[in-house]
Amino acid sequence: QVQVVESGGGLVQAGDSLNLSCVVSGLNFGRYAMGWFRQPPEKDREGVSCISVSGDITYYSPSVEGRFTIARDNAKSTVFLRMNSLKPEDTGVYYCAVHQRISFGLSSLKSRQYDYWGQGTQVTVSS
């Protein structure tokens, strides 16, 4: 079956950086776009970033644009999220998921376009 496993979260101070990783197994990873989402405390899940199959097209939420970078390694079935200049408002559980639509665009930051979610990794940014 499909497995999605995120890692790399932790407790950091404002201004620090973190690198998240997500390993996917059980499907042909190189055929699917991927996305990162987060759920802040007591708030709804929101799209953070997504990346096309080949990795040449990426989208970011305005709240993270310029600070976060998404990348993928299809040979290792892994998608990454590099988070720089972290802010307390970046706190939340971060999830990655497999994109399930044929078309890929800015709307691909919406969670309803995704299936196969991981358990998430906690990111806490202290002020």
Side-chain angles (χ1 to χ4, degrees):
Q1 73 273 22
V2 179
Q3 289 190 316
V4 178
V5 181
E6 303 96 338
S7 62
L11 172 62
V12 297
Q13 294 186 331
D16 286 350
S17 298
L18 276 176
N19 289 311
L20 304 186
S21 298
C22 170
V23 180
V24 181
S25 60
L27 54 70
N28 189 340
F29 180 80
R31 296 182 61 183
Y32 295 90
M34 295 292 298
W36 282 98
F37 297 81
R38 67 185 180 190
Q39 186 162 16
E42 301 181 0
K43 294 185 178 180
D44 293 334
R45 189 177 297 181
E46 60 185 18
V48 174
S49 182
C50 54
I51 187 168
S52 63
V53 167
S54 61
D56 59 341
I57 301 173
T58 58
Y59 296 101
Y60 298 91
S61 165
S63 63
V64 307
E65 181 93 49
R67 299 187 297 122
F68 290 12
T69 302
I70 190 171
R72 65 189 295 161
D73 184 339
N74 287 348
K76 296 182 178 180
S77 299
T78 303
V79 60
F80 307 95
L81 187 67
R82 170 71 175 181
M83 305 188 295
N84 293 329
S85 303
L86 282 162
K87 305 175 181 179
E89 51 264 44
D90 293 319
T91 294
V93 180
Y94 282 70
Y95 302 89
C96 74
V98 182
H99 189 251
Q100 295 292 308
R101 298 288 177 87
I102 294 175
S103 62
F104 178 79
L106 186 57
S107 64
S108 299
L109 284 173
K110 299 184 186 303
S111 61
R112 61 175 178 267
Q113 296 193 12
Y114 291 79
D115 202 348
Y116 304 122
W117 295 79
Q119 293 299 307
T121 184
Q122 176 70 46
V123 172
T124 303
V125 185
S126 63
S127 57

